[in-house]
């Protein structure tokens, strides 16, 4: 049997699902191949970041993610303890979702949503084949590139039957093993040493009530035996404990490890106890011909800070609109080259940010007396707390700048002077390459809701401008989707900084200025990737 599609996606994790969601949103035919039955039995993802939630809003599923199961009254605090239920050293107080005010820089807050809740919401949106996009229990057997695109052999793992899928493009979202990328001959650069960890997932249904107001979402264990996190997975009694294996490489007994981490006598049921390897790698290239690499296939980074999945979802949206523009015929011949140009530096940047969070924990000196009830133990804990306050550990758990502050520098972005580069204090900016600023136009309608399917020209305090008509005419001739919004709001005009701001389908600024340029055709050809 032979099937034709425009884009073939391999891998149905959160990033592969996001790729399918973006392509469906853009009206592009695609098929996603996932070798499992779609049921997540070992949830690895916990927090959907600000920008990822904005994309979920774009796809119409942000409310579903927010209501997937996490109790909005559950604490989001992070506590450093000698063991859970023993001495508390330091606490970052973070309001629960019920208490948290809406930030002025985003229409969505981040959201705790483990993968076993996250995946079903995407499956509802994109659907299971043949009515939907996803082929479950299916595996890529082999593939090759031809002049016309990709030819792939797919095996149904339930029936054993194989089929051929022909596609113009293939997107590899097959995870950290990156088998497709490796078959394409693309290596990854290792930025830091590989480490081995152990993950223990367990149920402790009474622990939260036993802790009372000492409960937290994340406990960082600080004692000579364990210096790793214990995290609430679903807020309903499921937890994940991360450990370093024994010196000989063997994993710890799960019950012994939990006993060392929790000083309270509480019922426990083990779900899984597995080793895993942490690598810090970014592929040398994110593309080979008509095959593209996204998510863990393209980059692997420390989970410290929760940037990994969110970086991958950013890949999917950047690549998604560019594939759509190319397939529909209005994207320039160089547009797809900018996927790697834009996303690879972001992967490296986020890898280093995550590693800095990891190193902050691993380099901390742990005196053996830290858990003692003696005056010396109390003094050590106080000194450590003061150091943590000064070092700004809260940045790891409240980092909107990492999620929202990225700026693309590429051939399809027209720079405007020298950008502000204050890494200590992120603020929204309309500088080209940045995510366009969020502001409420009215109740429930964000400026970000105006962007998505084509270019959007934001006009502030402008009178009739003949060049707007010229821009509109050129876009119509070239079949480039363009929407124009005249916004009479001084506060939003100040936020956007220029009279005219041209925004790409992914919500990033392509160009801005106080006048539409005379060479308007050159401008639009540049931002759609039609010029070198």
């Amino acid at each position: 049997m032979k099937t034709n599609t425009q884009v073939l996606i391999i891998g149905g994790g959160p990033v592969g699902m996001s790729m399918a969601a973006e392509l469906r949103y853009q009206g592009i035919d695609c098929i996603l191949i996932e070798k499992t039955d779609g049921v997540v039995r070992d949830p690895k993802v916990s927090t959907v970041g600000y920008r990822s939630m904005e994309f979920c809003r774009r796809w119409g599923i942000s409310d579903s993610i927010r209501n997937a199961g996490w109790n909005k009254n559950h604490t989001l605090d992070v506590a450093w303890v000698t063991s859970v239920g023993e001495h508390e050293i330091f606490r970052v107080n973070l309001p629960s979702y019920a208490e948290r005010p809406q930030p002025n820089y985003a229409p969505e807050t981040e959201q705790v949503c483990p993968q076993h809740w996250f995946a079903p919401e995407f499956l509802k949106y994109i659907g299971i084949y043949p009515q939907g996009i996803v082929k479950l229990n299916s595996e890529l057997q082999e593939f090759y590139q031809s002049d016309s695109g990709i030819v792939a052999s797919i095996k149904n793992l339930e029936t054993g039957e194989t089929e051929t899928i022909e596609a113009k493009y293939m997107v590899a979202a097959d995870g950290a093993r990156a088998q497709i990328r490796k078959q394409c001959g693309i290596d990854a650069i290792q930025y830091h040493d590989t480490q081995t960890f152990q993950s223990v997932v367990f149920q402790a249904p009474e622990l939260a009530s036993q802790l009372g107001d000492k409960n937290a979402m994340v406990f960082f264990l600080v004692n000579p035996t364990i210096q790793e996190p214990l995290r609430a997975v679903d807020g309903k009694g499921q937890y994940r404990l991360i450990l370093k294996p024994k010196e000989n490489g063997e994993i710890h007994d799960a019950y012994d490890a939990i006993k060392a981490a929790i000083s309270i006598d509480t019922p426990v049921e083990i779900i899984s106890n597995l080793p895993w390897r942490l690598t810090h790698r970014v592929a040398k290239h994110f593309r080979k011909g008509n095959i593209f690499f996204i998510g863990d296939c393209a980059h692997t980074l420390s989970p410290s800070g929760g940037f990994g999945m969110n970086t991958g979802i950013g890949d999917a949206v950047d690549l998604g609109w560019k594939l759509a523009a190319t397939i529909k015929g209005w994207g320039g011949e160089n547009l797809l080259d900018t996927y790697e140009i834009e996303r690879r530096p972001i992967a490296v940047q986020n890898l280093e940010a995550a590693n800095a969070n990891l190193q902050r924990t691993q380099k901390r000196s742990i005196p053996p007396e830290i858990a003692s009830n003696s005056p010396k133990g109390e003094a050590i804990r106080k000194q450590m707390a003061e150091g943590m306050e000064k070092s700004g550990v809260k940045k790891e758990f409240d980092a909107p700048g990492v999620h929202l502050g990225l700026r693309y520098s590429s051939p399809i972005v027209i720079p405007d002077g020298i950008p502000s580069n204050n890494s200590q204090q992120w603020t929204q900016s309309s500088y080209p390459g940045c995510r366009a600023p969020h502001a409420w136009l009215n109740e429930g309608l964000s400026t970000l809701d105006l962007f998505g399917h084509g270019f959007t020209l934001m006009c502030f305090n402008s009178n009739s401008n003949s060049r707007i008509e010229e821009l509109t005419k050129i876009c119509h001739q070239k079949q480039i989707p363009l929407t124009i919004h005249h916004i009479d709001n001084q506060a939003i005009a100040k936020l956007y900084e220029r009279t005219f701001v041209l925004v790409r389908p992914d919500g990033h600024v392509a160009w801005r200025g106080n006048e539409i340029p005379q060479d308007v055709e050159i401008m639009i050809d540049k931002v759609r990737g039609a010029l070198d």
Side-chain angles (χ1 to χ4, degrees):
M1 185 174 73
K2 181 188 292 185
T3 304
N4 289 282
T5 189
Q6 292 168 319
V7 182
L8 176 62
I9 305 164
I10 307 298
V15 175
M17 292 281 193
S18 297
M19 186 78 245
E22 178 63 14
L23 290 173
R24 173 178 174 172
Y25 172 81
Q26 297 290 354
I28 297 300
D29 180 51
C30 64
I31 296 174
L32 185 150
I33 302 301
E34 167 55 34
K35 63 183 178 182
T36 73
D37 61 2
V39 178
V40 177
R41 295 173 175 83
D42 184 23
K44 299 176 182 178
V45 173
S46 295
T47 302
V48 186
Y50 289 101
R51 190 61 173 143
S52 296
M53 282 300 291
E54 289 177 355
F55 292 137
C56 289
R57 178 187 183 91
R58 168 194 190 93
W59 302 322
I61 60 173
S62 59
D63 286 345
S64 298
I65 297 297
R66 203 168 294 289
N67 297 321
W70 183 266
N71 183 345
K72 66 180 181 179
N73 293 301
H74 191 286
T75 179
L76 300 177
D77 286 0
V78 181
W80 284 258
V81 296
T82 55
S83 70
V84 177
E86 202 179 41
H87 299 291
E88 183 172 304
I89 300 168
F90 188 76
R91 179 176 287 254
V92 173
N93 295 109
L94 297 169
S96 69
Y97 292 121
E99 303 166 326
R100 180 172 294 193
Q102 186 73 37
N104 62 5
Y105 48 76
E108 300 282 346
T109 61
E110 59 186 2
Q111 178 64 44
V112 176
C113 185
Q115 194 175 338
H116 64 299
W117 295 344
F118 192 69
E121 298 306 326
F122 272 83
L123 278 176
K124 289 177 193 174
Y125 175 61
I126 58 182
I128 298 173
Y129 210 78
Q131 286 78 24
I133 293 170
V134 182
K135 283 180 177 280
L136 298 174
N137 298 301
S138 298
E139 186 174 46
L140 175 68
Q141 296 288 291
E142 58 185 6
F143 65 91
Y144 66 88
Q145 292 203 62
S146 67
D147 292 339
S148 60
I150 309 297
V151 179
S153 176
I154 307 298
K155 181 179 181 179
N156 184 305
L157 299 178
E158 290 183 309
T159 65
E161 296 178 352
T162 60
E163 67 172 312
T164 299
I165 296 181
E166 294 185 358
K168 178 63 177 175
Y169 302 100
M170 185 164 78
V171 178
D174 55 339
R177 295 181 67 185
Q179 292 176 319
I180 295 173
R181 172 173 60 75
K182 291 173 182 176
Q183 287 182 56
C184 290
I186 305 297
D187 293 330
I189 297 172
Q190 180 168 312
Y191 286 77
H192 303 286
D193 292 340
T194 298
Q195 299 185 45
T196 302
F197 289 90
Q198 173 183 346
S199 174
V200 180
V201 180
F202 62 96
Q203 291 287 147
E206 298 178 16
L207 181 59
S209 60
Q210 289 175 296
L211 289 170
D213 60 6
K214 293 295 184 181
N215 193 23
M217 182 177 72
V218 182
F219 293 97
F220 276 96
L221 302 162
V222 185
N223 64 62
T225 305
I226 308 176
Q227 298 96 44
E228 305 296 345
L230 185 154
R231 177 170 184 149
V233 173
D234 61 2
K236 300 179 179 181
Q238 187 174 112
Y239 296 86
R240 180 185 294 273
L241 173 63
I242 301 297
L243 301 164
K244 291 288 287 185
K246 299 176 183 178
E247 290 186 7
N248 63 4
E250 293 181 3
I251 61 174
H252 297 275
D253 177 83
Y255 286 104
D256 288 345
I258 294 168
K259 188 175 181 180
I262 302 175
S263 59
I264 296 173
D265 185 18
T266 190
V268 167
E269 178 185 353
I270 305 299
I271 296 175
S272 63
N273 180 20
L274 301 168
W276 59 278
R277 295 169 72 245
L278 168 60
T279 60
H280 310 261
R281 293 177 177 168
V282 178
K284 290 182 178 180
H285 298 289
F286 282 21
R287 176 186 186 182
K288 180 66 178 288
N290 281 9
I291 301 174
F292 297 84
F293 317 122
I294 66 173
D296 285 354
C297 177
H299 43 72
T300 56
L301 49 153
S302 168
S304 302
F307 306 144
M309 177 194 74
N310 296 292
T311 303
I313 292 175
D315 296 342
V317 175
D318 185 272
L319 178 60
W321 81 264
K322 292 170 181 176
L323 283 171
T326 302
I327 290 168
K328 291 178 180 179
W330 61 265
E333 62 181 14
N334 301 313
L335 183 61
L336 290 176
D337 291 335
T338 67
Y339 165 63
E340 176 181 323
I341 293 171
E342 292 189 342
R343 291 304 299 175
R344 193 177 187 283
I346 300 303
V348 174
Q349 175 182 303
N350 289 358
L351 179 150
E352 296 295 3
N355 185 61
N357 290 334
L358 177 68
Q359 292 301 313
R360 188 182 296 116
T361 298
Q362 294 188 332
K363 289 183 177 179
R364 193 172 287 131
S365 177
I366 310 297
E369 302 91 346
I370 194 167
S372 76
N373 293 317
S374 66
K376 184 175 182 180
E378 185 177 347
I380 290 170
R381 293 190 292 273
K382 182 179 179 182
Q383 183 181 17
M384 182 172 288
E386 291 171 351
M388 295 174 75
E389 179 70 43
K390 291 178 182 177
S391 68
V393 294
K394 184 178 180 179
K395 291 184 294 184
E396 180 175 344
F397 307 97
D398 187 18
V402 174
H403 293 279
L404 302 174
L406 61 91
R407 177 172 59 85
Y408 294 139
S409 178
S410 80
I412 60 170
V413 171
I414 301 174
D416 173 22
I418 300 173
S420 171
N421 197 26
N422 184 356
S423 60
Q424 299 301 313
Q425 186 63 46
W426 168 76
T427 57
Q428 295 195 93
S429 173
S430 69
Y431 188 87
C434 294
R435 158 195 170 272
H438 152 75
W440 292 113
L441 294 162
N442 56 51
E443 186 176 355
L445 181 65
S446 165
T447 50
L448 304 191
D449 298 331
L450 304 180
F451 317 135
H453 294 291
F455 285 100
T456 302
L457 183 67
M458 307 285 275
C459 306
F460 302 95
N461 306 322
S462 61
N463 298 318
S464 177
N465 188 308
S466 61
R467 291 197 194 127
I468 294 180
E469 296 177 7
E470 184 181 354
L471 174 62
T472 302
K473 180 180 178 181
I474 289 170
C475 287
H476 179 74
Q477 289 172 345
K478 296 176 184 285
Q479 297 185 310
I480 302 166
L482 173 69
T483 305
I484 297 173
H485 291 281
H486 294 271
I487 298 174
D488 184 15
N489 183 303
Q490 290 299 317
I492 299 177
K494 184 178 179 180
L495 186 63
Y496 270 73
E497 303 177 277
R498 299 292 187 275
T499 304
F500 300 102
V501 179
L502 185 67
V503 183
R504 311 182 330 182
D506 60 350
H508 283 256
V509 176
W511 166 88
R512 67 178 183 175
N514 289 324
E515 294 289 344
I516 302 290
Q518 291 185 352
D519 53 354
V520 63
E521 184 171 4
I522 292 176
M523 178 191 77
I524 200 67
D525 278 345
K526 184 172 179 62
V527 299
R528 71 184 181 95
L531 297 178
D532 292 332

